[in-house]
Amino acid sequence: MKLNMEQRRIVELEPSGHMMIKGVAGSGKTTVSIRRISFLHRHYCHEADDKILLVTYNKTLLNFIKYQYDKFVEGEEVQQSELWFTPNPEVEITTIDSLMYRYYINYQNRTKQSLQVASGHVENQIMLKAIQLVANQYPGSKILSPKNSSFLRDEVAWINACHITDAETYQNIDRIGRATGGGGTPQKLLKNSEVRAAIFDLMETFNHMLMQEGFITFKQMNLLALQEAQQMNYGKYTHIIIDESQDLTKVQLDFLTCIYHEKKHSSIMFVADNTQSIYSQSWLGKGRPYTSIGYDMSGKSRILTKNYRTTTEISTAAYDLIECDANIRNNVDFVKPSLIDRHGHPPIYRFFMTSDGQLSYLVGEINSLLNDYSYSDICIVGREKRLIESVCSALAEYGLPSEILNASVPDFESDSIKLVTMHSIKGLEFKVIFLIDLNEGIIPNDRLYDFDDEDTFDSEERKLLYVGMTRANELLYMSSVRKPSKFIKELNVENLRIKRDCKLKPFQSTGIQNYQLVDQIMDVNAKEEVVRQWLLKELQQTYKYPLELIQFEYPVQQFSRKGYVDLVVSIYVNGEKIPYIFAEVKQFGAGIEDASLQLKSYMDVVPKVRYGIVTDALEVKCLDREGGTLNDLPPFQPQFLPETRGRRLYWNLKNGKKYVYAADLEDNEDIEVSDAENGLYVDCDSKVMIPVVGNVAAGVPITVHEQYVRELCVPLDWIYAKQDTFALIVTGDSMINAGIDKGDQVIVHRQNTASNGDIVIAIIDQEATMKKFMLMGDSVLLISENSSYEPIQMKREDVLINGKVIGVLK
């Protein structure tokens, strides 16, 4: 739990009343909140009645905070952790529900009332009775119908959660998100309408009938707790830290304000991330300003932008969802995440035709992960509880230990796979996350479109998926069955993969009008063709194989029968074009078992082919020459192309380094230069053309030829001056021990002086030779680098130095 600089600045801020911490998922908001307690406790709790409260939204998150804190802190902080998580008059960490329920019990004891919080079944039964009773007063209203009972219960809960106590307020309040999804369903909840009047009357009747039966709803309990806090003082808190404040209702926020003790050194800190607001009855999460609860945050906010929880690849994919949602991006409290340099696998997305296929994949992938991860590192997340219950039962049949995480008493350390809903995963994190059943109708849950504005509802559901994605520390898997959620299409496929250690991206269909290699296609309407075109596109864009190396319907002779490989990638080896990768494709979702056998038989009869791939766009299998399974295909390498450049080695005598020099065979001004040692390319923007003026002997002197043969293009920094530079072709072998052989070209700087050890072009009696220069008194020694040749000793005045060799092009 070590803090970075931006986190530490927030932790150590001098308290000055209210403030807001806006942070992206994984930015350490909860860590900051915990460490803020320690800072405040040490420095700003000097009065006898000073107390600190950290309030969280749910029990799972509360227990996870304690688990994480106990796991990482040491020494003195461990003692503080034990202090804070046990009954103690100075510091309290609890959930908002637990805190308000305590006040409700006080209310009951004081007023001698005894009302139980109703179960969902009881609420539904009384709501149906209330609908029938109130509907008689509004004969023209279609909203008051038993078929709308779920919607009406939710709306009544919202009214209570917002602390709306009179019909006029409800008639005029902005009801964000409530609308219809189409014909035949209730009208949008217009202001000052009969619809709102009917719902408010229903709310009052429902609440009254419920209390007559000895029950209240959870939201009514919150109202009574608020009332108790307003009337009675059971002790207030000098410092309040509200984690996940965007999820709290208006009543809950008012309650916390009520128990806040303002002093000169007091503070109330709202910690929030609007992109993780996933509850329909939240107040601030709907974009309402903090002034609506009595706080002006001008100049009072701090921002945490870096996601330290997930890898760059997972963060980038998750942000795709947010980037396409104007409702989220335009919110005043939206924070755009900044990426950190922590890389890992891109998220893996898989589509399955059946739920059994998804389950088989889960089992297989989990088993393969056990080499690197423990069961407790893995969490499976579903939109609905029924989905994870089904998977949990199935995993047990496969002998995989698993458990649905208990919100009240979660066991994070147990060596078992955890299963949670998307709502329950909020605030938690695991090394490996599987998001399952990302299907149409499940996320977004289109059954609620009848009553919610579709765009607003989609934003809430999009946030829910975003929350699930950003819970993964290292690996994120996503899967759909039968029909994918429309949110899957919003994810940039460039940021996804089909397998963990494979560069292939998930299948995307290509229109017939965009098919490639059409002249090689036997039937453009064949169901397999769309899969082949996807693979062709991946080979080009992901693996970088140029189209000219790819061919369809490659003929293979199998005994007396001729077969055709669906796709072949060829490469050039020593000028010969040979098959390198064979690919067999099947129509979408048809399976690859038969195709795998076919592929192996083709590879057996073509000994030069090295790799194979078989796919139906859902399953992918890569093979090597011996039939072994590979994680991935090899990418394209420049040497796979036919040789279009003359590649030679250049020895730069100016700096002693060697380079690979490549010139286009048809255009000698088009050159590439790379460092021979590390392969890095060298900037060749500044180039010059120098003349190749003839031959030079690296042996006995030969007659000088000043005939202009051709030009040689070289980088400007290889020479001293263009007008004083020329090249010669070596014809002898006297310098072979210096690395200069017959046929090499030497680059020469024209000069008439030399230093000992220089390799020079010397003119002797109008004949040129290349030797090492050595001055000995009044004599010059021209030394060969070949023991077959004796040194040439001459008087200085008889030797003309024509130039110094500054480079050798092999």
Side-chain angles (χ1 to χ4, degrees), residues 107-220:
Y107 167 83
Q108 280 193 323
N109 293 335
R110 185 174 62 83
T111 61
K112 309 302 181 186
Q113 292 189 39
S114 180
L115 297 170
Q116 296 181 30
V117 177
S119 65
H121 175 72
V122 170
E123 278 193 37
N124 189 55
Q125 292 300 311
I126 294 178
M127 175 58 74
L128 291 173
K129 293 177 183 178
I131 289 171
Q132 288 183 332
L133 185 62
V134 178
N136 294 328
Q137 304 171 37
Y138 297 90
S141 176
K142 296 180 180 179
I143 193 79
L144 298 179
S145 168
K147 69 178 182 180
N148 298 330
S149 62
S150 294
F151 162 76
L152 292 168
R153 278 177 59 194
D154 185 64
E155 188 66 11
V156 165
W158 183 85
I159 294 171
N160 288 325
C162 295
H163 199 188
I164 299 171
T165 57
D166 60 89
E168 183 180 357
T169 301
Y170 180 57
Q171 285 283 14
N172 291 282
I173 195 170
D174 288 328
R175 187 61 181 98
I176 300 170
R178 282 301 190 196
T180 71
T185 55
Q187 294 295 310
K188 182 179 180 180
L189 301 184
L190 299 174
K191 293 181 179 181
N192 298 307
S193 64
E194 185 182 57
V195 171
R196 289 206 187 196
I199 292 175
F200 194 82
D201 280 355
L202 177 68
M203 182 271 297
E204 292 186 317
T205 302
F206 171 74
N207 288 347
H208 178 72
M209 293 176 69
L210 203 60
M211 292 185 74
Q212 282 186 323
E213 297 286 337
F215 295 104
I216 57 171
T217 66
F218 197 83
K219 295 299 184 288
Q220 286 177 288

Side-chain angles (χ1 to χ4, degrees), residues 67 94 177 221 234 292 300 327 384 420 610-611 651 720 756 777:
Y67 166 73
T94 186
M221 182 271 286
Y234 296 108
S292 66
K300 289 280 194 174
N327 289 332
E384 300 171 359
V420 295
R610 304 306 303 166
Y611 301 99
W651 179 20
Y720 293 107
N756 284 349

